[in-house]
Amino acid sequence: MKPLSTVSGKAIPFGAKNIDTDIIIAAEWLKTITREGLGKGAFQSIRASDPDNVFDDPAYAGSPILIAGDNFGCGSSREHAAWAIGDMGIRVVIAPSYSDIFSGNAVKNGILPVVLPQSAIDRLMEVAREGDPIHVDLEAQTVTTEFQDRFAFEIDSFRKHCLLNGLDEVALTMERDQAIGAYETRRTTDQSWIMRGTAA
Amino acid sequence: MANKPRTLYEKIWDAHVVETRDDGTSLIYIDRHLVHEVTSPQAFDALRISGRKVRRPELTLAVPDHNLPTTARRDAKGARVPIADPQSAAQLEALERNAPDFGIRYIGDADDEQGIVHVVGPEQGFSLPGTTIVCGDSHTASHGGLGALAFGIGTSEVEHVLATQTLLLQQSKSMEVRVEGDLPPGVTAKDLILHIIGVIGAAGGTGHVIEYRGQVFEDMSVEQRLTVCNMSIEAGARAGLIAPDETVFRYLKGRPMAPKGADWDDAVAYWKTLHSDVGAVFAKSVVINAADIAPTVSWGTSPEDVVPISGSVPAPESFPDESKQAAAKKSLDYMGLTPGTPVAEIPIENIFIGSCTNSRIEDLRAASKVLEGRSKADNVRWAIVVPGSGLVKRQAEEEGLDKIFTDAGFEWREPGCSACLGMNPDKVPAGERCASTSNRNFVGRQGPGARTHLVSPAMAAAAAVKGRLTDVREL
C-alpha cells in the first residue's frame, strides 16, 4: 500500500448525500477478478445522466481530493468502490460521515477518509468550485486552504499509522500468531463445537 | 467486567477478543467465514502472491451466488450449460479453483445445497448463535437473526480473515430498536424493517450494532428474523441482532453442520446466556409502535424512502432538511413519479420474488398464498421467483408452490442473487418498475435505469395480480 502523509491539489466538489457504493461502481463492474482499471466505471450513472457532472468537468481533472456528502459509501461492502476511487487518482475523501465498511476499505487501499462537519464541507465546496487547492496533512490532522481556512480532523491512531507507513494489515496481524493460537487452544478446550465448522 | 450488565453485542464481542491494542482496536476472532465468487478472487490472489495459507479452512464455506444465471445450469445429459458472459464464467471458475486449492469446503453451482450465502449458512447449520460471522457482502447482517454477530467486509478483510481468522476492529456502539405491541394482520417482518429504516434513516445506525427487542421478534420464525436483520445495513448499522431462543434452537437442531450429541447440549447451554442483561446500557434507543405499521413500500432510491401502501408519493418540500429535499427531487425524477400520487396507483411491469431478504420457504409460501387461483395482470411483463437455495426450491416443489407460481404466470428459477443486484442476466429494463422483495432501491441497482419498489413477498404477489402496487389486505 502506498504511504500517505500530505496531499495537495484541486478537489472535486461533489457533495451529494447518501452516495451508495452501487453509484460509485455499478455491479456490472464487479465481474473482474483483478483490482485494476475500475476508475473508468466510477460514478457511471451520474456521468451518464448529467452532462455537467463534476467527474467529467475538465476543471477538476486529475484532482487527488473528493469532497462528498453525509453517509458516503453506504450500501454494499464492495471494495471495488475504494479501488475505483483510487484508480481515479483520488487519495483523500472529505465528507461529514461514511458507512463503516467503506471507510475501512478506503484506508486499506491507501485512501484517507477525512471526517469534517457540514459547515467545513460547505466552505471546502466553495474553495473547490473555484479551482483553488486544498491541503491535507495526515500527520498534523488538518485540512487547510490558501485563504486561512484550517480544519482539524480526528482519525483513529491505528488507521493513521497504517496510512502514514503504507502498512499491510495482514502482515501485522500475522505477527500476532501466538496470541491467536492461544485463543484457538482455549476455544478448542472450552467450546470445541464452535471450532468444528464445516467438519461438524 | 463480570458484574457490569452487558448488551448481547458486548457479550459476543467480549467472547471474541484475542487481544486489545493500545490504540483501542481489538483483534477479534472470526468463527465463520462465507465466501462467494464476486468479492473473493482478489483475496485468494493476494494469498498466493504472498505465499500465505488459509489459517482455518474448516471455518470457511464457499458457494457461488451473485453472478450465476438462474436458468438451468445442467442440460438433460448433466453437462454444464456454459455461462454466456466470459467474465462471469471466469469468476465462477476462479472460486471453483480457489476453494479446493486452499482446502475450503465448496458447494457447487448445481448442488442441491447451493444458494445465496445468507440462506445457505443458516440452512446448513454453519451459522450459529453467539458466533462471529463475516462475508464479503453487506447483507451478512442477516445471520444476526440467529443471534450471531454477523457483518459484511471488504475484500482486503476477506484476505485478512482467510490468513489470520481474525479482524482488527474498533468496537461499535450498542443500539436498541424496541418494538412495542403486535403487528396488525397482513403486516410482515419485511414491512416492519422497511418502516424501521424509514424512522431511523439510512445512516441512523452508522457506528452501531442494532439489537431488535420486543415481543414481536420473539414471536417471529427464524426466517422472519433473518429478514429483519438482513436489512440492518440499510439503516447504516454494522450488524443487527435478535437474542437466540427456543425458536432458534429448534430451527438449528439436526442441521448438517450444527453441533451434535453432547456438543449440542453444551452449545444450547451457552446460547441461553446470550441476551442483554437487565440494566445494560444502549448508546441509542428507538421505540417503534407496531400498531402504527401498514404494508410498506419504497418510493425513492434510498431504503429510507418508504410510505405505507395507503400513502402518497411525498413532495420534496415536505422534508425538513435541504439536502434531503434535493435528494428527494432527484429520486422522484429517476423514479418517474409525481408528488401526491397515491402509491397504490403506481403501475408495475416487473415482479421479483427472491434475494437474501425474502427467498426462504416462508416467503414463497406467503407469496403463493396470495397467488393461488389468480394470475398476473396483463401489464406485468416479467415475473420471476428465485428460491434462496436448492433445498428451498425442492421443499417448495414438494408443497406444489412452483405450480401456483407458474400457473399465475411467474417463471420458476434456479437459486441465486438474481435481479437483486443487476450483475447476472436477470435485470429490470431501464425506465420500467419492479415490485421487488429485495433490499436495495438504489439508482441502477436492478439494472441501469431500473425503478425498484421494495415490498414484502405477499405485497409483490398482490402487485403481480393487480398490475400496480396494491394493499394485499384488500385481496
Side-chain angles (χ1 to χ4, degrees):
Chain A
M1 187 176 100
K2 209 165 139 194
L4 182 149
S5 57
T6 59
V7 175
S8 289
K10 288 186 185 182
I12 304 174
F14 180 42
K17 196 175 169 176
N18 279 333
I19 291 298
D20 58 68
T21 53
D22 279 71
I23 292 179
I24 300 174
I25 189 84
E28 197 58 34
W29 292 83
L30 270 50
K31 295 176 186 174
T32 175
I33 55 172
T34 70
R35 299 174 192 233
E36 284 83 37
L38 291 169
K40 54 184 184 292
F43 300 103
Q44 184 176 262
S45 62
I46 292 173
R47 289 174 147 158
S49 64
D50 175 9
D52 299 323
N53 75 83
V54 289
F55 302 105
D56 291 322
D57 188 332
Y60 310 119
S63 297
I65 300 169
L66 174 67
I67 303 179
D70 218 8
N71 202 23
F72 186 72
C74 61
S76 155
S77 65
R78 58 188 69 167
E79 195 161 323
H80 307 67
W83 298 336
I85 285 175
D87 195 49
M88 290 169 71
I90 290 167
R91 298 297 316 271
V92 179
V93 185
I94 306 177
S97 72
Y98 302 86
S99 84
D100 298 331
I101 304 179
F102 175 82
S103 61
N105 285 341
V107 169
K108 288 175 178 67
N109 289 279
I111 298 167
L112 167 64
V114 172
V115 177
L116 287 178
Q118 188 63 49
S119 54
I121 300 293
D122 293 343
R123 169 64 189 146
L124 292 172
M125 286 284 284
E126 282 175 22
V127 174
R129 279 196 201 101
E130 292 301 317
D132 292 315
I134 289 173
H135 310 286
V136 179
D137 186 333
L138 176 56
E139 186 62 62
Q141 297 183 207
T142 57
V143 176
T144 53
T145 70
E146 306 199 337
F147 309 96
Q148 293 178 332
D149 300 291
R150 185 177 181 281
F151 304 105
F153 62 88
E154 296 293 318
I155 181 168
D156 116 14
S157 57
F158 179 67
R159 283 185 171 181
K160 180 176 177 179
H161 176 68
C162 286
L163 279 167
L164 282 172
N165 298 289
L167 293 177
D168 169 5
E169 218 178 84
V170 178
L172 285 177
T173 302
M174 288 186 81
E175 290 172 9
R176 307 306 303 153
D177 178 62
Q178 259 191 320
I180 301 170
Y183 179 89
E184 287 175 329
T185 307
R186 202 164 73 234
R187 265 324 223 2
T188 309
T189 314
D190 298 346
Q191 292 179 312
S192 57
W193 52 270
I194 296 183
M195 301 303 286
R196 285 196 238 286
T198 58
Chain B
M1 192 156 68
N3 296 322
K4 183 178 165 270
R6 290 180 296 168
T7 64
L8 171 57
Y9 167 62
E10 288 164 343
K11 284 185 184 179
I12 302 177
W13 172 273
D14 289 346
H16 291 85
V17 175
V18 173
E19 58 183 9
T20 299
R21 304 162 46 98
D22 295 341
D23 56 31
T25 55
S26 294
L27 196 59
I28 293 295
Y29 199 79
I30 301 301
D31 298 319
R32 299 288 184 269
H33 187 186
L34 290 154
V35 168
H36 63 84
E37 77 279 25
V38 175
T39 55
S40 68
Q42 294 89 347
F44 284 114
D45 261 5
L47 291 184
R48 268 200 196 89
I49 290 165
S50 49
R52 290 168 180 152
K53 288 188 168 63
V54 173
R55 184 178 178 95
R56 285 272 179 170
E58 70 278 15
L59 300 185
T60 301
L61 177 63
V63 59
D65 58 3
H66 279 63
N67 215 337
L68 289 180
T70 57
T71 43
R73 292 172 191 152
R74 297 291 181 270
D75 64 19
K77 289 181 196 146
R80 168 172 271 176
V81 177
I83 296 179
D85 182 328
Q87 276 191 303
S88 298
Q91 248 181 7
L92 177 63
E93 282 163 22
L95 189 60
E96 286 175 338
R97 186 175 63 246
N98 286 330
D101 276 5
F102 288 92
I104 292 166
R105 171 84 158 267
Y106 177 69
I107 297 175
D109 66 324
D111 293 347
D112 260 358
E113 296 81 9
Q114 183 272 336
I116 305 170
V117 276
H118 311 310
V119 175
V120 171
E123 192 172 73
Q124 292 300 315
F126 182 67
S127 309
L128 297 172
T131 57
T132 46
I133 304 178
V134 297
C135 172
D137 186 280
S138 60
H139 292 111
T140 309
S142 310
H143 308 257
L146 296 171
L149 175 58
F151 50 93
I153 56 177
T155 298
S156 294
E157 290 174 311
V158 170
E159 180 196 349
H160 196 278
V161 175
L162 289 170
T164 70
Q165 207 57 45
T166 63
L167 280 175
L168 268 169
L169 297 171
Q170 283 276 6
Q171 186 167 3
S172 303
K173 296 183 195 118
S174 295
M175 173 170 175
E176 168 190 47
V177 171
R178 190 151 43 86
V179 176
E180 295 189 334
D182 296 320
L183 291 173
V187 178
T188 67
K190 180 65 166 288
D191 301 305
L192 172 60
I193 188 63
L194 286 171
H195 178 84
I196 290 172
I197 296 163
V199 171
I200 65 181
T206 304
H208 292 75
V209 167
I210 297 176
E211 182 180 341
Y212 301 96
R213 289 152 61 88
Q215 190 65 40
V216 164
F217 303 107
E218 291 168 37
D219 292 343
M220 281 184 184
S221 66
V222 165
E223 282 86 347
Q224 292 165 337
R225 297 178 194 193
L226 294 166
T227 297
V228 169
C229 290
N230 172 276
M231 292 192 70
S232 303
I233 183 71
E234 300 337 318
R238 195 77 216 251
L241 280 168
I242 296 174
D245 59 7
E246 292 296 336
T247 304
V248 169
F249 311 153
R250 263 198 312 277
Y251 171 91
L252 284 171
K253 192 163 191 184
R255 296 206 175 251
M257 297 176 194
K260 292 167 186 70
D263 275 353
W264 173 259
D265 299 333
D266 285 354
V268 171
Y270 174 60
W271 295 341
K272 285 182 176 170
T273 68
L274 297 175
H275 51 77
S276 289
D277 294 326
V278 175
V281 179
F282 290 89
K284 208 168 174 180
S285 187
V286 175
V287 179
I288 306 264
N289 187 357
D292 295 346
I293 305 172
T296 300
V297 301
S298 71
W299 56 266
T301 57
S302 166
E304 68 183 24
D305 299 339
V306 294
V307 280
I309 184 65
S310 54
S312 303
V313 175
E317 308 80 61
S318 67
F319 296 98
D321 108 76
E322 249 178 63
S323 69
K324 182 66 197 176
Q325 290 178 6
K329 196 169 172 300
K330 269 195 181 161
S331 288
L332 292 180
D333 282 351
Y334 179 81
M335 294 296 290
L337 291 172
T338 313
T341 308
V343 286
E345 287 177 9
I346 297 173
I348 295 291
E349 298 88 34
N350 303 275
I351 310 285
F352 170 54
I353 298 176
S355 88
C356 55
T357 315
N358 283 127
S359 63
R360 297 174 183 85
I361 189 69
E362 284 191 9
D363 300 317
L364 304 191
R365 285 177 189 146
S368 64
K369 205 173 147 200
V370 175
L371 289 169
E372 193 158 19
R374 297 190 168 113
S375 289
K376 72 177 175 70
D378 292 339
N379 63 309
V380 173
R381 207 184 45 74
W382 190 56
I384 60 168
V385 189
V386 187
S389 73
L391 296 178
V392 169
K393 182 172 186 243
R394 197 165 70 190
Q395 172 76 30
E397 286 169 355
E398 279 168 13
E399 295 178 18
L401 307 187
D402 57 321
K403 188 76 176 36
I404 296 174
F405 285 116
T406 51
D407 285 353
F410 279 69
E411 294 173 31
W412 180 246
R413 295 294 191 93
E414 297 298 318
C417 297
S418 185
C420 176
L421 84 165
M423 170 155 205
N424 53 69
D426 301 342
K427 291 188 183 78
V428 175
E432 291 191 15
R433 296 180 194 286
C434 182
S436 177
T437 66
S438 56
N439 39 54
R440 286 192 176 133
N441 51 347
F442 296 162
V443 168
R445 175 74 180 183
Q446 295 194 289
R451 296 165 169 171
T452 304
H453 293 280
L454 301 175
V455 292
S456 75
M459 287 287 284
V465 171
K466 293 289 187 186
R468 56 178 169 79
L469 293 175
T470 300
D471 191 336
V472 64
R473 298 172 300 185
E474 289 166 9
L475 285 181

